[in-house]
Amino acid sequence: MFGQIAIKRAIKRSTGWTATFTHMLSGSISGPSACILYYHRIADVDFIDPQIDDHNVLPAVFERQIAALADWSEIVPLTEVMQRLQQPAATAKPLVSLTFDDGYANFYSNALPILKRYNAPATLSVVTGIIGRPDPAPFDKWGLKNSHRAPSDAWRPLSWNELERCLDSGLVTLGAHSQEHLRANDCTREKIQDEVNRSARILRSRFGESNVPVYAYPYGNSFMGHVPNDYETAVRDAGFELAVTTDFGQVLGDHAPFRLPRVEAHGLDIPATLRAKVQSRISPYYLHDYCRAIAFRSRNGKSKRPEDRNSVSKTATVFPR
C-alpha cells in the first residue's frame, strides 16, 4: 500500500498511539465535557485505495468500538448532550454521542444491528438528494472509483424504506446533511439557504416537523470555510435545534449549539485509543489538526470568508489543560 492514504493512515496510527500513551500516564481532564464521535461507512471492504480515503470502519472493528463505549461510557442521543452537561453529577461515566454522516445503506445493514445489540442511540444525518439512488453519490469520490470492486452497500445510498426502518428502531435521531453535499465556500448565500431549506422540507414532509432536529454541515470545517456565518443563520432560521461541524474537540457546557465540534472515530482506533479520545486526552490530535490547518492556510492563503475565521476561535475547543 503506497500513496497519500498510506501516509495519512500512518499519521493517524502514530497519533492514536501517542494519545493512548498520554491517557495512560495522566488520565482524563477535570470538568464536564462530552465527545461527539462521527462515522461515515461501516462496510466490509477488503482493500485500501492508495489515493482516496474510504472513511470506513469495518463492522467487526465497529462492534469492538461500540462494545467498549457501552462498557465505560454513557452513550446518549445527540439532542440530550447539552442538557446533560448542565447536570454533570448525573453520571460518573464520560458522555458520548454517536453520529453518522451522508446516509449510506451500510448504516442500515451493518451499523444498526450492532447499535441494537448494545442499545446505543445514534444520529443519522442524510443528504436528501441521494436517498434512493442506485449509483454512488456524486460527492463520494471513493464510491465512484471503487463501486466495481466494493460490496454495493459500501457505496449505495439508503433507500427511503431503509431510512424509515432505521427510524422505526427507536434508536435513531434523524438529521439533515444538506440536499447536494456542496462546500459552502463554493456557494452563494442563496444556494446555502436552498441546501438547508430543501433538505429540511423533504425530511419533515416524510417524517414530521419535529422529527428532524439536527443539521450536519457538509465537510464541516470552520477554518476551511465550510461553516460560514450565512450557513449557521440559515440552519437557525430553518428551525433546527443544533448543528454539528467537523471542528475537532470536546463539547463543553458553553459551546455554541450550532457549531458543535466532533471527533472522528477511525477504523484504526482500538478501544484504548477511542477511550483516550472520549476522555479528552487528545492533545496529539489537536496538534495534528493544527498542522493540517496551517498547511491549508499556506496552500490557499486567506479564506474566502475572513469574517468566519473570527468565529472559529469562539466556538472551537482549544488545547486541553
Side-chain angles (χ1 to χ4, degrees), residues 13-318:
R13 184 178 286 109
S14 60
T15 303
W17 288 341
T18 305
T20 302
F21 181 68
T22 302
H23 170 72
M24 291 171 62
L25 288 178
S26 53
S28 59
I29 64 172
S30 60
S33 65
C35 181
I36 303 174
L37 295 172
Y38 69 96
Y39 294 87
H40 290 87
R41 298 179 221 273
I42 309 295
D44 277 311
V45 177
D46 60 3
F47 64 91
I48 295 173
D49 187 310
Q51 299 300 326
I52 304 176
D53 197 340
D54 54 24
H55 296 289
N56 183 54
V57 177
L58 295 172
V61 174
F62 178 68
E63 178 151 19
R64 288 195 292 272
Q65 292 179 353
I66 299 303
L69 290 170
D71 183 46
W72 45 255
S73 73
E74 183 177 357
I75 305 174
V76 299
L78 180 60
T79 51
E80 296 181 12
V81 166
M82 299 305 290
Q83 179 184 358
R84 292 298 301 275
L85 286 176
Q86 307 306 318
Q87 304 168 334
T91 179
K93 293 184 176 182
L95 293 178
V96 175
S97 188
L98 306 174
T99 63
F100 296 77
D101 290 358
D102 297 340
Y104 294 112
N106 53 73
F107 178 85
Y108 173 71
S109 59
N110 296 330
L112 186 59
I114 295 170
L115 296 175
K116 286 180 177 179
R117 279 200 286 277
Y118 295 91
N119 195 33
T123 295
L124 172 63
S125 297
V126 300
V127 179
T128 46
I130 70 169
I131 302 302
R133 288 177 60 118
D135 51 346
F139 60 83
D140 181 9
K141 295 180 180 179
W142 183 90
L144 291 167
K145 179 182 176 182
N146 294 293
S147 61
H148 67 286
R149 59 173 177 162
S152 63
D153 73 347
W155 49 263
R156 180 177 64 82
L158 285 160
S159 68
W160 285 109
N161 182 258
E162 289 168 333
L163 181 55
E164 289 172 1
R165 292 184 179 183
C166 290
L167 301 183
D168 288 344
S169 71
L171 289 173
V172 179
T173 299
L174 181 60
H177 195 35
S178 80
Q179 170 68 11
E180 298 180 61
H181 202 278
L182 304 177
R183 284 184 173 85
N185 40 2
D186 294 331
C187 298
T188 63
R189 178 182 302 176
E190 290 73 22
K191 183 59 178 175
I192 288 173
Q193 292 172 339
D194 182 63
E195 282 288 285
V196 174
N197 293 333
R198 286 175 68 192
S199 62
R201 184 170 60 252
I202 290 169
L203 293 177
R204 289 168 180 166
S205 67
R206 283 181 171 267
F207 304 110
E209 288 291 325
S210 63
N211 292 326
V212 193
V214 176
Y215 195 89
Y217 301 104
Y219 304 99
N221 188 295
S222 295
F223 183 89
M224 296 182 181
H226 304 152
V227 193
N229 293 336
D230 291 342
Y231 214 149
E232 179 181 343
T233 299
V235 171
R236 286 177 179 271
D237 290 347
F240 290 96
E241 297 176 16
L242 55 85
V244 291
T245 68
T246 58
D247 296 340
F248 186 82
Q250 306 291 111
V251 179
L252 307 178
D254 60 352
H255 256 109
F258 288 90
R259 287 180 181 265
L260 295 178
R262 293 190 286 175
V263 175
E264 180 187 17
H266 197 271
L268 296 172
D269 288 341
I270 61 174
T273 305
L274 205 61
R275 188 165 190 166
K277 288 181 174 182
V278 167
Q279 295 189 329
S280 303
R281 283 301 169 194
I282 48 180
S283 293
Y285 289 98
Y286 280 104
L287 180 59
H288 171 263
D289 207 49
Y290 177 77
C291 292
R292 179 168 172 259
I294 293 297
F296 174 82
R297 175 180 288 177
S298 66
R299 288 195 308 268
N300 296 278
K302 294 183 178 181
S303 168
K304 294 180 181 180
R305 300 176 184 267
E307 71 279 6
D308 297 312
R309 293 201 306 274
N310 297 332
S311 66
V312 175
S313 62
K314 300 175 183 178
T315 58
T317 307
V318 297

